[in-house]
Amino acid sequence: MERRVVITGIGLVTPLGIGKDENWASLCAGKSGIAAITRFDACRYSTRIAGEVRGFDASVYVPAKEARRMELFGAYAVAAAKMALADSGISITDANSCRTGIVTGCGLGGLESVEKVVRIIDGQGPGRVGPFFIPMLIGSMAAGLVAIHTGAKGPQWTTSSACAASGHAIADAFREIKSGRADIMIAGGSEALITGSCIAGFGAMRALSTRNDEPQKASRPFDAGRDGFVPSEGAGVVILEPLEDALKRGATIYAEVAGAGASGDAYHITAPSPGGDGYVRCMRAALEDAGLSLKDIDYINAHGTSTPLNDAMETLAVKTVFGDHAQKLAVSSTKSMTGHLLGAAGGVEAAFTALVIYNDLMPPTINLDNPDPECDLDYVANVARSSEIRAAMSNSFGFGGTNISLVFKKPDFSGSDINRT
């Protein structure tokens, strides 16, 4: 018998802050996390702005000696996972550790370590490369570190599907709980790619905003003046468990995971397929998996990158899927405030979407001053809005034409034992 799956814990590390509450407050206030790059000297780069995580101290979450041996994406993952577990009220013990699994998404892993090692080899020779280089580099190490620092011994793996990676991770974790193969899943993703090679690479593709003089206005999804995305970093992790277990514990339930749908474009390495065909099939698959009708969806957390091509194509795809209902639902892009967390984006935005349902409050799309005529949906422009949200969708689309849509809904049960905080 398939089990119903709910989200009972949320951990966030983003340019908007550290922790669920700080992120949610900034998000609903329409605060931008974008600023000038401080991680390296970016004066020679066409893009000199990013969404850096500020005030993060890895030694708060792991011993200082181990923190020095972690790439940031691993440290962010451990921090977000520990926050999510604490939020859920779940303790991993000998009794449940082998039934507690981990799936994290990551686009590229430890790119900063690669850059450092190349400089060491060029300047000092290969004999000076440290023994922790490979363990720090590999993208799957985030899940490994989460396991080491939480004690989870259940199924563990990593998804690497570009900017859809952590959306795919949550979909996989959802199916583990639903099928009964695990009882608790730690799921989401992390990324830390504010490095010279990453900024140069995306810059060479002309994918990034160059609005360097107005960093907080640079990420502007669906606006006619958008000129590319703003790279950012962080982690978003959720705790999934069966509905019946959450009810027995009296846990806070943010949202139910209703379904997930995936598709591939088979078209181009960076551009979406004509007509948003891949996006359309992805969203339809998610709705079918969730068993919901078009009219059940009140809100979409869009992929919404602030690139000319994605935003118009996602808008077209939403209209194709939802027909007349597309003009009645609300769509917002939280990337307008966080920037684009790449492989971590899906995890962060899934957590945001669960909070939208829980709070019946939709964050805005900021910097939407002059909408592109091709972007003609209700994007919750510039100011957060209160409204009952019965069900919502979160979209994540990646280079190479890899797409994932997640559908969440308000659990249809009632009871005074549900601890809504």
Side-chain angles (χ1 to χ4, degrees), residues 92-317:
I92 299 178
T93 65
D94 289 344
N96 64 15
S97 64
C98 291
R99 297 282 296 171
T100 301
I102 304 164
V103 191
T104 62
C106 181
L108 281 172
L111 195 56
E112 186 175 13
S113 288
V114 174
E115 292 182 8
K116 289 178 180 175
V117 161
V118 169
R119 288 195 291 271
I120 289 171
I121 292 173
D122 285 347
Q124 305 173 56
R128 300 297 296 176
V129 174
F132 295 104
F133 168 52
I134 297 299
M136 290 174 73
L137 161 69
I138 55 178
S140 60
M141 190 51 66
L145 289 169
V146 170
I148 291 166
H149 289 280
T150 63
K153 298 179 180 177
Q156 178 205 126
W157 67 92
T158 295
T159 54
S160 182
S161 47
C163 301
S166 48
H168 280 120
I170 291 174
D172 284 359
F174 160 60
R175 295 180 185 114
E176 288 296 293
I177 299 284
K178 184 177 179 180
S179 67
R181 290 191 291 266
D183 294 330
I184 303 164
M185 290 298 293
I186 304 168
S190 64
E191 199 81 273
L193 295 173
I194 311 301
T195 70
S197 59
C198 181
I199 302 300
F202 279 122
M205 297 169 61
R206 298 185 178 181
L208 301 182
S209 172
T210 57
R211 198 182 289 258
N212 297 304
D213 295 334
E214 297 181 299
Q216 297 189 343
K217 295 182 179 179
S219 185
R220 42 194 320 114
F222 311 113
D223 188 87
R226 67 192 186 279
D227 68 335
F229 76 83
V230 179
S232 61
E233 62 180 0
V237 172
V238 295
I239 303 300
L240 305 183
E241 63 178 304
L243 171 64
E244 57 269 33
D245 289 0
L247 289 173
K248 287 177 184 174
R249 294 194 307 112
T252 296
I253 297 176
Y254 293 105
E256 179 172 356
V257 186
S263 72
D265 284 2
Y267 174 67
H268 192 273
I269 58 172
T270 58
S273 50
D277 167 70
Y279 299 176
V280 169
R281 287 184 288 107
C282 182
M283 286 188 276
R284 283 177 173 164
L287 286 167
E288 181 178 355
D289 190 45
L292 297 178
S293 72
L294 302 176
K295 295 180 179 179
D296 291 327
I297 303 297
D298 295 315
Y299 169 76
I300 297 176
N301 188 300
H303 187 54
T305 55
S306 182
T307 58
L309 195 55
N310 172 82
D311 296 353
M313 201 63 76
E314 187 172 10
T315 296
L316 176 60

Side-chain angles (χ1 to χ4, degrees), residues 15 32-43 47-54 194 199 211-218 230-233:
S32 171
I34 311 303
I37 290 174
T38 63
R39 196 66 51 75
F40 64 94
D41 182 359
C43 67
T47 292
R48 300 184 290 280
I49 55 175
E52 296 178 347
V53 173
R54 289 173 286 275
I194 311 301
I199 302 300
R211 198 182 289 258
N212 297 304
D213 295 334
E214 297 181 299
Q216 297 189 343
K217 295 182 179 179
V230 179
S232 61
E233 62 180 0

